[in-house]
Amino acid sequence: MTVNIKSIRSFPIPDRWVVHSYYTLNPYAPDGSGRILCAGCDPDSGVGEVMILDPDGRVIDRFGRQKLSTIFYHTGFWQSWSPDGKGVYFQACDGDVLHPRVTFHDLTNGRDYTIDADMEGTPANSDRFMYGLSGMYYAAGYADGCYHPELSPIPFSARDRHGLFRASVKENLNELVISVERLLELHPRREELLKSDREVDGGLTLMVYCARYDRTGRHIMFHFGNHCTDKRRGEPKVMSLYTADCDADGNISNLHCALDMSYDGDGVHWSWANDRSLLGYYKYNGKGVLAGIDADGQNLRILSDGTPYGGHPSVSPRDGRLIVSDCASDGQGKVCFLYDGEPVDEVRLPKYDHSVGEIPRGRNRYYVCHHPVFNADGTRVLCNTLPGRCAELCELEIGY
């Protein structure tokens, strides 16, 4: 198969550094209107807002003005459409990542409704959503590599009080669904983890993080482990993928530990390939590969041992054999298409602002992740690009 890239369009917004949320979230409105959801900021003032664009990239609405943290340059405010396209959810922490809030902006009346909760995207079928506390991985060392247990919104050791939460802005609901303690009880390497827990001063920084819905909203996966660690503590890497079915009320069932990569394994950017399997980067026999695994933990398979390694892979909703991903190349970036695991086309896109010299470490305004994401029917792919001072969206129209 050859991917037919019919057109490439950029959507620059004057005086705004713009990104869509993440490659696991569809930024196109669920009503088929072609509206695009994104967030933009003035990097000099450190203030941003959520924006809605029309199909030609013109701004038709702005709201949610607030201070930003550096994570904005990776995921914006995690802005996500409500199931009916009549509202938008977004993080509203006003720059304070340790005390997150979620706002629902009603597009029919312009009103905002906010609760104390966290989110990394909402499901396509419900106004209830599930999440892990992102403030915990900042306390563990995500931003600066240093352990700050006093900053954790819930003590790491209180494993019966944190884990996977369920929330609803409309119902003013926020409650724990399944605890880290329970997930540890179910873990296939429980005794090994408990041994490590005793050996590390202060214990393992176990948590739930990076909850990801599939495109239907009926399935969720989340990470269990220590998202990042202070190397000085000697804490071993713990990372497992749990999957579950979930209904519109946010009840989970059919819970599985689908893949454990603790201690000697590695892998990033795992998400749903479809409603029965996961897709991600996996270190297999010392080599990075694109891999898949069934949601119940069966049938681990290598999909491609070629590029892209460690990119952000997702599957076309139109043709499950087509994968789009991204990677860095020659000091810039590219978006790659693979069919049955074989590269079939690529588009080189600007990724770094080299005018500053060496790109600083961590999330910052001088680089983007392309985060290519398909629309609902697989005919368009939206990417982040950085062609100059400000990042902008770029849309690829795909023919089959």
Side-chain angles (χ1 to χ4, degrees):
M1 175 184 178
T2 300
V3 174
N4 175 20
I5 300 175
K6 299 170 67 175
S7 66
I8 302 176
R9 297 195 298 168
S10 293
F11 298 145
I13 308 298
D15 302 318
R16 283 295 180 268
W17 200 105
V18 179
V19 291
H20 68 79
S21 284
Y22 203 50
Y23 78 106
T24 58
L25 298 171
N26 185 358
Y28 292 89
D31 60 5
S33 62
R35 293 174 298 159
I36 299 170
L37 186 60
C38 61
C41 77
D42 172 5
D44 295 327
S45 69
V47 175
E49 63 199 338
V50 180
M51 299 187 295
I52 297 177
L53 313 183
D54 71 11
D56 293 317
R58 294 183 291 261
V59 179
I60 56 176
D61 205 350
R62 302 173 185 255
F63 48 89
R65 184 176 174 84
Q66 59 178 307
K67 296 177 183 177
L68 54 94
S69 63
T70 55
I71 196 66
F72 174 92
Y73 296 109
H74 189 56
T75 54
F77 298 123
W78 284 105
Q79 60 280 352
S80 309
W81 290 104
S82 65
D84 58 9
K86 296 180 180 180
V88 171
Y89 290 94
F90 62 92
Q91 280 185 339
C93 62
D94 204 27
D96 182 2
V97 296
L98 295 173
H99 301 91
R101 291 172 295 165
V102 174
T103 289
F104 173 73
H105 179 80
D106 191 330
L107 294 171
T108 66
N109 58 27
R111 294 178 181 173
D112 288 340
Y113 308 87
T114 302
I115 63 171
D116 292 328
D118 206 346
M119 60 168 269
E120 292 180 314
T122 56
N125 64 338
S126 175
D127 285 296
R128 286 188 171 188
F129 55 91
M130 288 184 277
Y131 68 91
L133 279 169
S134 60
M136 297 192 71
Y137 56 75
Y138 283 93
Y142 176 71
D144 60 4
C146 296
Y147 181 50
H148 304 286
E150 73 283 359
L151 299 180
S152 184
I154 297 174
F156 290 104
S157 59
R159 292 172 179 160
D160 60 336
R161 293 171 48 201
H162 63 88
L164 185 69
F165 291 84
R166 170 175 52 203
S168 169
V169 178
K170 294 182 178 180
E171 302 171 71
N172 195 27
L173 171 72
N174 190 9
E175 60 187 3
L176 184 64
V177 175
I178 185 166
S179 69
V180 164
E181 182 177 64
R182 178 58 178 154
L183 293 169
L184 182 56
E185 290 175 358
L186 298 172
H187 198 278
R189 300 172 75 174
R190 176 177 178 272
E191 294 304 320
E192 196 172 356
L193 294 179
L194 290 175
K195 181 176 182 294
S196 296
D197 192 43
R198 294 189 294 268
E199 293 171 348
V200 175
D201 184 25
L204 299 174
T205 53
L206 298 178
M207 67 189 84
V208 166
Y209 60 98
C210 294
R212 305 283 183 251
Y213 287 97
D214 75 340
R215 284 192 172 232
T216 70
R218 296 192 297 268
H219 307 277
I220 192 169
M221 63 153 288
F222 54 90
H223 294 64
F224 167 84
N226 45 11
H227 180 59
C228 45
T229 60
D230 185 332
K231 305 302 183 185
R232 297 168 298 181
R233 301 183 69 234
E235 184 175 356
K237 179 64 177 177
V238 177
M239 180 180 172
S240 305
L241 307 179
Y242 279 86
T243 64
D245 300 334
C246 50
D247 62 21
D249 292 325
N251 300 309
I252 67 171
S253 58
N254 205 22
L255 180 68
H256 291 280
C257 181
L259 182 63
D260 178 64
M261 293 172 281
S262 302
Y263 298 103
D264 52 0
D266 195 12
V268 294
H269 301 142
W270 286 91
S271 60
W272 289 96
N274 52 49
D275 62 0
R276 294 176 299 278
S277 68
L278 307 179
L279 169 69
Y281 166 81
Y282 186 59
K283 188 168 285 186
Y284 177 76
N285 288 337
K287 182 179 181 181
V289 298
L290 281 179
I293 192 169
D294 292 349
D296 61 1
Q298 303 298 310
N299 193 25
L300 178 65
R301 54 204 178 273
I302 307 306
L303 301 177
S304 175
D305 61 2
T307 56
Y309 296 141
H312 302 86
S314 58
V315 174
S316 168
R318 187 184 184 103
D319 186 338
R321 299 162 71 182
L322 179 64
I323 295 173
V324 66
S325 191
D326 58 351
C327 63
S329 174
D330 301 325
Q332 285 297 331
K334 62 181 178 181
V335 170
C336 316
F337 293 89
L338 299 96
Y339 197 78
D340 285 340
E342 296 296 327
V344 292
D345 208 345
E346 66 181 41
V347 177
R348 293 185 179 269
L349 296 173
K351 178 180 175 70
Y352 302 104
D353 180 0
H354 290 289
S355 67
V356 298
E358 184 177 354
I359 305 298
R361 295 184 63 185
R363 306 301 181 195
N364 61 74
R365 61 190 283 187
Y366 300 111
Y367 78 100
V368 296
C369 291
H370 293 312
H371 288 165
V373 56
F374 285 102
N375 67 350
D377 64 9
T379 58
R380 298 178 188 276
V381 171
L382 194 69
C383 312
N384 299 316
T385 63
L386 186 57
R389 175 180 177 273
C390 286
E392 59 191 48
L393 302 181
C394 178
E395 184 185 71
L396 313 178
E397 184 180 3
I398 308 300
Y400 290 80

